[in-house]
Amino acid sequence: MAILKEQMNIGGMTCAACSGRIERVVNKLPGIVQASVNLASEKLFVEFDEAVLPLQTIKDRVTKIGYEVIEKSPSAHVTIPVGDMTCAVCAQRVEKAIHKLDGVENVSVNFATEKATVEYDPQTVRVSDIKAAIEKAGYIALEISKTDALEEDRARKQKEIRTMWTKFTISAIFAIPLLYIAMVPMITAVRLPFPGGLDPMKFPLIYALIELLLVIPVIIVGHKFYTVGFKALIQRSPNMDSLIAVGTSAAVLYSTWNVWQIAFGGDFGAVESLYYETAGVIITLILLGKSLEAVSKGRTNEAIKKLMGLAPKTATIIQDGDEKVIQIDEVEIGDIIVVKPGEKIPVDGTVIEGHTAIDESMLTGESMPIDKTAGDEVYAASINTNGSIRFRAEKIGADTALARIIQLVEDAQGSKAPIAQLADIVSGYFVPIVCLLALIAGIIWYVATRNVEFSLTIFISVLVIACPCALGLATPTAIMVGTGKGAEYGILFKGGEALETAHKIDTIVFDKTGTITEGKPEVTDVIVARVEHDSRNARFCGNDIVNGNSIANRADIANGNNIANRTDNNSVQSQEIEHRFDVTADDLLQITASAERHSEHPLGQAIVTGANAKGLEALQVKHFQAITGRGIEAEIADIDILAGNRKLMDERDISLESLQETSDRLAEEGKTPMYVAFNGVLAGIIAVADVVKPSSKAAIEHLHKMGIEVAMITGDNKKTAAAIAKQVGIDRVLSEVLPEDKSNEVKKLEDEGKKVAMVGDGINDAPALVQADIGIAIGSGTDVAMESADIVLMRSDLSDVPTAIQLSKRTIRNIKQNLGWAFGYNVIGIPIAAGILYLFGGPLLNPIFAAAAMSLSSVSVLTNALRLKRFKPSK
């Protein structure tokens, strides 16, 4: 099964009924795993089996139901403006020059537009090569106006905003005089200027025809309401456009009937039953609302726009020994890139030459520049502050850290929170119910009053005051702004569900190493065990550990000196030796470090670093085995070495009694004792301590203030774990937990009825991250942990954990406010439009005011969502 994920820009959606309809239709297709539509971003996110369902079939189905799939420009196409062409022959010459290049699949040069459109293989030919061919032919290759997908989307939305404002302006030009002409004759208290030739009492037909002529341009400008609305109605999936189309059509048709009566029936009294201004002003007000809505929706993804704006446009590469500035799109993997002080890093890569400090705050939020030298990684959009460096491009385009962050944010904005399901369900039934209510209300009032105009007013008001848009926009807009705001703080929510669930968390479990602590432990103590042994235990048989010399006949091994310094050439003896033997601290560190060089565990690496710092030479290891969750086993010069925790020693029946008090003291000091045994006998302890991160204590205090219980999970022994927990104020300690048991411990907490978040950074944390209600990965951690988590903290700062929960709470509160307003508005507005107040002597709602209220309801929801942009975490 080849499961693919795709996202498509969708045009033509106007309300939640539209997005819900697309979701229902697409989800019914065979091979669809999941499909969701974000009304605010106008995107369709699909997960499907390519073997069962081609992507084109999905696009065709969306198009068939009346919406537009807006295609993205392929990445292997480029359009290059060409200068100095004077005729069609020039265009042909440029075409031929480009076509000669290897890797160019198709080329077309348009003399009228002065542009060359080239389809090419980026693995074979560069855009710079194409430009060079144009220059070589005698013409000028101008700056490329190519835009990426987000810029295209932004340009499209800007065009849409301009179009909406243009439509509103044209509509208002005709609707305002239409409203004036319709209302002034009815106002008797104040005499306003009015053309005498349009007096409805004297010239009813002229008056009626002028109104008709004024409303026609408004209807033309708003024709989309009718084409989309009636099409949806015919297909039994009515949307907001359907409500507007039915309501205004009823007003226009009834008014046109009255014009007919005036013209041919002699009923001049029908001039008082014209509702053209109602239709005209309703369309105008809704166009105004849609224009404001388009502007507001454009602001909801400003976070992504800011992230995209971080990327530099050019890069300086080394080509044939010279520096050459090229467009960022032309950089290929393996290119050597030069970055000078003050310049941005163009793509991800590894430094090969130079030393500098890089400001990565735009990606991680880390305020201090980070020193970089050969071998260190650098990331696109970060800023080189002082030195000049050269680095090798390793990740370009969509593979850079910046692009992955943007993709995570886009994916989160395209996903749905569980709270959105209620709005989706309601939206699916909303419009048909409103149509039914409007019809019922109109009929009831007609039966009660026998007044067509009155019942028509009720019918139109109910239709136009109902607002499915507010329901549809309530959740996605808040999620878009919330996830975008999180990205600004270096907090990446992978989906709407994570954003919603995070606010329910009441227990957080932190992994110790690399999460609460720096993850860079150091050797603090080396304690040697000195005990009496018989010959079987005393004899360290084998060839020389370092220099090829035998040390087997030494009763005191090294006798206080480094084993490596022994040059005796004694042969191996098998005689019984009943003397005391001694191993120095350096011997113990050297042998253990030599074994630990093959281990990837942080504690083992700390021992290796400690040995290197003392200049101790590495010894040859004959055999090595890592024992998961316990330690290592190795062989050096016929010495069987065990190094690990108490569990390992207990399993091998190695007595720790001689160093029990020392071990307890070290553990109480927050140090991790690593027991070392040679040939089945305890040789000593190497104590390692991992420094607590400066932010850990403050973050945990903050979580306590928020009423959240904090636990720590670690493989360390109880005393060491307790010492670390005491330093930072941990409530609950889960110690001596094997990596494979971490997820079980999380499950136990969940079984207690707790909502649990797990915070970790390592591969062995991945199962626990998946098991937890919310998995939170530290950005400095492994890719496996980050893939398994629901939230990624780019700064590796635990203070971002309470920030993430606060942002979740604020976002969910905002969604509830939006939904409350949307539901409340419709629950109150529809009965008022149906005449409930009028029934008890109150006012009757004019359809024009109903339209204004409907338009403003969507804008209010969007405006409320945009308040999240002001979010700042409390301390």
Side-chain angles (χ1 to χ4, degrees):
M1 182 182 289
I3 302 297
L4 295 182
K5 291 182 180 180
E6 289 287 343
Q7 67 176 39
M8 291 169 264
N9 292 320
I10 305 296
M13 294 192 296
T14 57
C15 67
C18 297
S19 58
R21 183 181 176 208
I22 295 171
E23 277 188 9
R24 288 194 301 273
V25 169
V26 174
N27 272 313
K28 288 179 182 176
L29 293 174
I32 285 288
V33 178
Q34 185 181 6
S36 64
V37 178
N38 188 318
L39 176 62
S41 64
E42 298 178 315
K43 291 181 186 294
L44 165 62
F45 296 80
V46 287
E47 192 174 343
F48 63 101
D49 183 354
E50 189 183 30
V52 177
L53 181 67
L55 180 61
Q56 189 57 46
T57 302
I58 301 174
K59 295 178 179 179
D60 292 343
R61 192 72 184 99
V62 172
T63 305
K64 188 175 179 180
I65 60 175
Y67 302 95
E68 181 186 2
V69 178
I70 301 168
E71 300 287 350
K72 295 181 181 178
S73 298
S75 59
H77 282 71
V78 66
T79 300
I80 305 174
V82 181
D84 281 2
M85 290 194 299
T86 57
C87 64
V89 176
C90 297
Q92 291 175 5
R93 187 177 176 190
V94 173
E95 265 188 22
K96 289 178 180 178
I98 296 173
H99 224 298
K100 289 179 181 178
L101 296 173
D102 291 335
V104 171
E105 298 166 9
N106 194 18
V107 59
S108 173
V109 179
N110 189 317
F111 171 62
T113 60
E114 296 184 314
K115 290 182 179 179
T117 303
V118 187
E119 185 178 350
Y120 68 103
D121 179 3
Q123 301 298 322
T124 308
V125 64
R126 287 178 176 275
V127 175
S128 56
D129 297 329
I130 299 171
K131 287 182 176 180
I134 295 171
E135 300 278 352
K136 190 176 180 180
Y139 302 94
I140 300 173
L142 302 173
E143 199 63 36
I144 298 175
S145 57
K146 179 182 177 182
T147 55
D148 58 26
L150 186 75
E151 289 171 339
E152 288 180 3
D153 186 51
R154 179 167 52 187
R156 178 178 63 81
K157 288 190 175 182
Q158 288 299 319
K159 182 180 178 181
E160 179 187 339
I161 291 170
R162 288 194 299 270
T163 301
M164 291 303 301
W165 280 119
T166 301
K167 286 184 176 182
F168 164 70
T169 303
I170 295 171
S171 180
I173 288 171
F174 291 96
I176 291 172
L178 174 60
L179 180 64
Y180 187 87
I181 291 170
M183 300 304 295
V184 168
M186 292 189 284
I187 300 173
T188 56
V190 180
R191 289 189 62 83
L192 296 172
F194 192 81
L198 293 181
D199 189 328
M201 296 299 104
K202 296 178 181 179
F203 309 102
L205 183 58
I206 295 176
Y207 176 83
L209 290 174
I210 290 296
E211 282 199 8
L212 176 60
L213 290 173
L214 286 171
V215 82
I216 287 174
V218 178
I219 292 172
I220 292 172
V221 168
H223 72 280
K224 188 178 176 182
F225 294 125
Y226 300 96
T227 55
V228 175
F230 282 122
K231 184 175 183 179
L233 200 59
I234 291 168
Q235 295 179 345
R236 294 183 296 176
S237 296
N239 57 14
M240 186 207 74
D241 290 337
S242 303
L243 298 178
I244 297 167
V246 172
T248 56
S249 293
V252 170
L253 289 174
Y254 180 71
S255 301
T256 304
W257 166 253
N258 284 319
V259 172
W260 179 272
Q261 291 289 355
I262 295 169
F264 301 103
D267 184 4
F268 298 140
V271 75
E272 296 179 359
S273 300
L274 299 178
Y275 281 85
Y276 287 127
E277 84 284 354
T278 299
V281 175
I282 284 173
I283 291 172
T284 302
L285 288 173
I286 291 171
L287 286 172
L288 172 61
K290 286 293 176 185
S291 300
L292 295 172
E293 186 180 311
V295 172
S296 298
K297 283 198 292 187
R299 291 176 59 198
T300 57
N301 66 348
E302 282 182 358
I304 294 183
K305 293 176 186 176
K306 287 180 182 177
L307 287 171
M308 288 301 298
L310 294 175
K313 304 301 181 186
T314 61
T316 303
I317 67 169
I318 301 298
Q319 195 171 63
D320 299 327
D322 297 323
E323 293 185 6
K324 182 179 180 182
V325 179
I326 62 173
Q327 294 294 307
I328 192 71
D329 296 324
E330 300 173 31
V331 175
E332 304 291 351
I333 293 174
D335 282 346
I336 304 302
I337 299 175
V338 178
V339 184
K340 297 172 182 176
E343 294 181 346
K344 287 184 177 181
I345 306 294
V347 295
D348 293 1
T350 301
V351 177
I352 60 172
E353 183 181 325
H355 178 274
T356 188
I358 302 288
D359 179 1
E360 296 180 349
S361 60
M362 63 290 299
L363 295 180
T364 65
E366 180 62 53
S367 57
M368 295 298 293
I370 300 169
D371 287 338
K372 302 284 184 178
T373 186
D376 291 333
E377 293 181 339
V378 291
Y379 303 99
S382 55
I383 300 173
N384 182 23
T385 59
N386 46 39
S388 181
I389 59 170
R390 292 188 179 191
F391 73 93
R392 180 179 292 103
E394 293 175 346
K395 292 181 180 178
I396 61 175
D399 295 326
T400 64
L402 176 64
R404 288 169 63 196
I405 291 171
I406 292 169
Q407 188 61 51
L408 277 175
V409 176
E410 283 191 325
D411 289 346
Q413 293 182 344
S415 65
K416 287 194 173 181
I419 197 172
Q421 294 173 0
L422 174 63
D424 289 345
I425 292 169
V426 172
S427 298
Y429 296 101
F430 183 80
V431 177
I433 291 173
V434 168
C435 290
L436 185 61
L437 288 175
L439 189 60
I440 292 171
I443 292 171
I444 290 174
W445 279 108
Y446 178 74
V447 171
T449 63
R450 297 294 175 179
N451 187 324
V452 176
E453 290 86 354
F454 187 89
S455 58
L456 183 63
T457 298
I458 295 291
F459 177 72
I460 296 171
S461 295
V462 172
L463 287 176
V464 299
I465 200 170
C467 188
C469 296
L471 287 172
L473 293 170
T475 301
T477 49
I479 287 177
M480 288 178 72
V481 179
T483 51
K485 196 66 185 176
E488 289 181 21
Y489 283 97
I491 302 168
L492 304 181
F493 292 90
K494 288 191 175 179
E497 185 173 355
L499 187 61
E500 176 176 344
T501 306
H503 88 284
K504 301 176 184 176
I505 295 300
D506 55 29
T507 303
I508 296 183
V509 180
F510 288 98
D511 175 53
K512 180 182 80 72
T513 306
T515 304
I516 290 177
T517 63
E518 292 285 3
K520 297 176 182 177
E522 299 175 353
V523 173
T524 58
D525 303 84
V526 180
I527 294 95
V528 177
R530 297 184 181 276
V531 293
E532 297 295 331
H533 300 275
D534 64 21
S535 60
R536 289 182 299 277
N537 287 332
R539 209 175 63 220
F540 287 2
C541 301
N543 295 328
D544 155 307
I545 297 178
V546 179
N547 297 322
N549 304 316
S550 171
I551 60 169
N553 204 30
R554 299 291 305 172
D556 68 329
I557 297 180
N559 198 23
N561 300 316
N562 190 315
I563 297 173
N565 293 329
R566 299 298 305 174
T567 57
D568 300 326
N569 290 313
N570 299 327
S571 61
V572 177
Q573 303 291 326
S574 59
Q575 62 191 38
E576 296 292 313
I577 302 173
E578 303 242 348
H579 297 291
R580 174 178 169 175
F581 71 90
D582 293 321
V583 176
T584 68
D586 281 356
D587 294 338
L588 184 66
L589 183 59
Q590 182 184 30
I591 296 172
T592 308
S594 298
E596 290 286 4
R597 287 183 189 278
H598 300 272
S599 170
E600 294 182 356
H601 195 282
L603 297 183
Q605 292 302 306
I607 292 172
V608 173
T609 303
N612 290 339
K614 285 199 166 190
L616 301 176
E617 188 176 346
L619 310 177
Q620 186 175 0
V621 178
K622 292 183 179 180
H623 165 75
F624 173 85
Q625 181 182 354
I627 305 171
T628 305
R630 289 164 175 79
I632 64 160
E633 183 175 10
E635 184 181 348
I636 298 177
D638 294 337
I639 303 174
D640 291 328
I641 300 164
L642 282 176
N645 57 22
R646 181 181 293 271
K647 281 187 179 181
L648 179 60
M649 299 298 141
D650 290 344
E651 288 174 0
R652 300 300 177 94
D653 295 324
I654 296 173
S655 173
L656 306 179
E657 186 178 353
S658 62
L659 291 179
Q660 186 63 55
E661 290 184 9
T662 303
S663 172
D664 291 343
R665 175 181 58 79
L666 292 170
E668 287 169 2
E669 293 172 358
K671 301 171 182 176
T672 300
M674 174 85 75
Y675 301 98
V676 182
F678 294 161
N679 289 340
V681 179
L682 180 66
I685 293 175
I686 299 178
V688 178
D690 192 0
V691 181
V692 172
K693 288 181 180 178
S695 62
S696 295
K697 186 175 182 180
I700 290 166
E701 287 177 354
H702 196 172
L703 291 170
H704 283 151
K705 289 178 184 177
M706 295 169 64
I708 295 173
E709 181 183 3
V710 182
M712 181 180 76
I713 192 166
T714 178
D716 284 350
N717 64 69
K718 291 181 179 179
K719 290 188 177 180
T720 302
I724 296 292
K726 186 177 180 181
Q727 287 183 47
V728 294
I730 295 286
D731 302 312
R732 191 167 178 174
V733 180
L734 306 171
S735 58
E736 299 181 4
V737 179
L738 298 177
E740 60 266 27
D741 292 333
K742 286 185 178 181
S743 60
N744 293 331
E745 292 296 331
V746 170
K747 190 174 187 306
K748 287 179 186 177
L749 292 172
E750 291 175 329
D751 290 342
E752 295 176 16
K754 299 179 183 295
K755 279 286 183 182
V756 182
M758 170 71 191
V759 185
D761 71 329
I763 293 175
N764 58 11
D765 295 323
L769 291 171
V770 174
Q771 175 63 48
D773 295 292
I774 288 291
I776 303 176
I778 301 295
S780 60
T782 63
D783 288 342
V784 175
M786 293 173 71
E787 287 297 323
S788 304
D790 304 294
I791 301 172
V792 177
L793 308 181
M794 296 302 295
R795 293 198 306 170
S796 304
D797 188 338
L798 293 193
S799 64
D800 288 338
V801 175
T803 299
I805 295 173
Q806 287 178 37
L807 181 56
S808 170
K809 288 182 176 180
R810 283 283 297 277
T811 304
I812 296 305
R813 186 171 70 187
N814 191 278
I815 289 174
K816 289 178 178 178
Q817 289 169 349
N818 286 346
L819 289 174
W821 164 253
F823 280 118
Y825 164 81
N826 286 294
V827 167
I828 295 170
I830 291 174
I832 291 175
I836 192 74
L837 296 181
Y838 186 81
L839 188 63
F840 295 98
L844 181 67
L845 185 66
N846 188 292
I848 292 174
F849 293 111
M854 189 276 277
S855 296
L856 291 175
S857 66
S858 296
V859 177
S860 66
V861 165
L862 285 161
T863 303
N864 187 49
L866 290 171
R867 289 195 307 116
L868 279 171
K869 293 171 72 67
R870 300 201 298 266
F871 167 82
K872 288 184 179 179
S874 61
K875 300 299 183 183

